[in-house]
Amino acid sequence: MASSSSIPKTMKGILIEKTGGTEVLQYKTDLPVPSPKEGEILIKNTFIGINYIDTYFRTGLYPSPKPEILGREAEGHIVSTGPGNTHELSPGDHVVGLASSTYAEYTAMPAAKAIKIPKDIPESHAAAAILQGLTALTLVREAHPVKKGDWVLVHAAAGGVGLWLCQILRAIGAKTIGTASTADKIKLAKENGVGEMINYSHENVVERVKELTGGEGVAAVFDGVGKSTFDDSLECVARKGTLVSFGNASGAVPPLTIARLSGKNVKVARPTLFNYIYTREEFEHYANDLFQMMSVDKFNVRIHEVYPLQDVARAHNDLEGRKSTGKLLMKP
């Protein structure tokens, strides 16, 4: 057990006691600083990631016990460690990791889901990368292993996960088609590796995909939008292709009649990141792979804005109102 006498008893953080809109996000200055339990480390957060999944827990789309501190990722420095296996992490280490309750100054994080940040990764980039970057990387490696030359459709290509998918797919050598709703978002996606963009505000996505692929469709669709795009995604998949549905930005996908898949022998996957990085070995493998790609392939880590912690409601409104491109971070 390591400890620091400089750790305060209370901290600032964002607490929610009931589900609802952004009005339920309460900025508190007197929350208890957690103590690291077996196999945990205590992080003093320097950058906190905001993800669409946070809004699901806030609204109740994904049930979770209340009251709770939101958040799923953070970057910072270890200030103390709990007993047990902390995977060679120690106080002072600059780390990034995945844990609940990160919308706060301090987070007790499972050491198995934290990793040292390589020195060539700029400050804040690891926090911007770890959840969305790992999501994108595991999707193209496991949900549908993309090969060089494959046609792939990415919905919301200028969004958080979308921009990571675009860059990873470019590194693989895939032929990527993206969707977005504005000229600015189309430009951004193209700058990050998309070969063809479809403006879904006035273009027919299915028709354009068929046109671009010679009527065949795409080997894989990566769809984080959900309800409003699912049927089009199914239409866009080629014979023996895969529809990877990984998010619900427009609402949950309704129940699927499984016989719909037989027309083209289509596979549908509904993965979550945490089942791909369940073990320490899996987490380390993909995190180190991501860091290497960020360095070697010179990935553009686009940070939309770094919000003060007390501006969390504005950040959620920007995210849900599709006013953002790239990653939203907070600084406590």
Side-chain angles (χ1 to χ4, degrees):
M1 163 83 74
S3 63
S4 169
S5 57
S6 63
I7 301 171
K9 300 291 186 196
T10 60
M11 65 178 183
K12 294 176 285 190
I14 304 299
L15 188 74
I16 64 168
E17 296 178 292
K18 59 183 179 181
T19 58
T22 54
E23 74 281 353
V24 303
L25 297 161
Q26 301 176 69
Y27 176 68
K28 300 282 192 178
T29 59
D30 57 353
L31 296 172
V33 172
S35 297
K37 300 183 177 66
E38 179 87 17
E40 289 186 338
I41 53 179
L42 183 65
I43 307 290
K44 188 176 194 306
N45 297 325
T46 52
F47 292 94
I48 300 157
I50 300 173
N51 296 283
Y52 222 101
I53 194 172
D54 302 342
T55 70
Y56 301 160
F57 287 110
R58 192 203 74 223
T59 61
L61 179 64
Y62 287 2
S64 58
K66 303 291 184 284
E68 73 172 320
I69 297 172
L70 292 178
R72 284 292 179 272
E73 67 188 334
E75 171 182 334
H77 292 87
I78 299 176
V79 293
S80 70
T81 60
N85 183 6
T86 55
H87 299 281
E88 301 181 358
L89 298 173
S90 54
D93 286 346
H94 184 208
V95 298
V96 66
L98 301 168
S100 57
S101 306
T102 58
Y103 282 20
E105 285 185 281
Y106 293 86
T107 299
M109 181 179 290
K113 292 293 182 284
I115 195 164
K116 289 182 189 177
I117 301 169
K119 299 211 181 304
D120 62 345
I121 301 294
E123 189 182 56
S124 80
H125 283 203
I130 196 70
L131 196 146
Q132 292 178 341
L134 285 181
T135 296
L137 185 57
T138 55
L139 289 177
V140 303
R141 291 276 174 80
E142 301 218 30
H144 178 91
V146 177
K147 302 186 294 294
K148 182 177 181 180
D150 281 351
W151 279 105
V152 175
L153 175 63
V154 177
H155 285 296
V161 175
L163 288 174
W164 286 101
L165 281 167
C166 294
Q167 295 183 88
I168 292 169
L169 289 166
R170 175 173 59 187
I172 291 170
K175 294 182 286 190
T176 305
I177 304 167
T179 70
S181 59
T182 68
D184 285 346
K185 289 184 177 183
I186 286 170
K187 180 173 180 287
L188 179 63
K190 284 187 171 180
E191 289 169 354
N192 284 271
V194 180
E196 302 286 348
M197 283 296 297
I198 300 170
N199 188 328
Y200 65 79
S201 68
H202 64 266
E203 292 184 277
N204 184 299
V205 173
V206 175
E207 286 179 5
R208 284 287 290 132
V209 167
K210 294 289 177 68
E211 181 185 318
L212 289 164
T213 60
E216 294 294 318
V218 293
V221 180
F222 294 104
D223 186 345
V225 177
K227 183 179 180 179
S228 68
T229 52
F230 187 85
D231 287 340
D232 280 356
S233 294
L234 204 52
E235 284 290 313
C236 290
V237 180
R239 186 178 63 86
K240 300 198 290 186
T242 307
L243 195 178
V244 181
S245 177
F246 66 92
N248 313 284
S250 67
V253 176
L256 171 69
T257 303
I258 198 165
R260 290 177 66 188
L261 307 181
S262 63
K264 294 185 288 187
N265 287 9
V266 170
K267 297 180 286 295
V268 172
R270 182 53 178 95
T272 60
L273 168 63
F274 291 92
N275 284 323
Y276 289 137
I277 56 167
Y278 187 81
T279 68
R280 174 66 183 180
E281 292 71 28
E282 288 170 330
F283 174 71
E284 276 191 342
H285 168 75
Y286 280 119
N288 286 323
D289 220 2
L290 179 64
F291 289 147
Q292 184 175 12
M293 293 181 89
M294 289 167 68
S295 297
V296 174
D297 294 298
K298 307 296 182 191
F299 279 5
N300 171 29
V301 181
R302 182 178 176 86
I303 296 169
H304 174 74
E305 186 175 337
V306 180
Y307 301 76
L309 190 62
Q310 58 266 38
D311 285 0
V312 61
R314 180 168 66 88
H316 274 223
N317 283 329
D318 287 351
L319 185 63
E320 292 177 291
R322 299 188 178 184
K323 296 175 185 174
S324 62
T325 51
K327 185 68 178 183
L328 285 70
L329 296 175
M330 289 189 293
K331 200 164 177 56

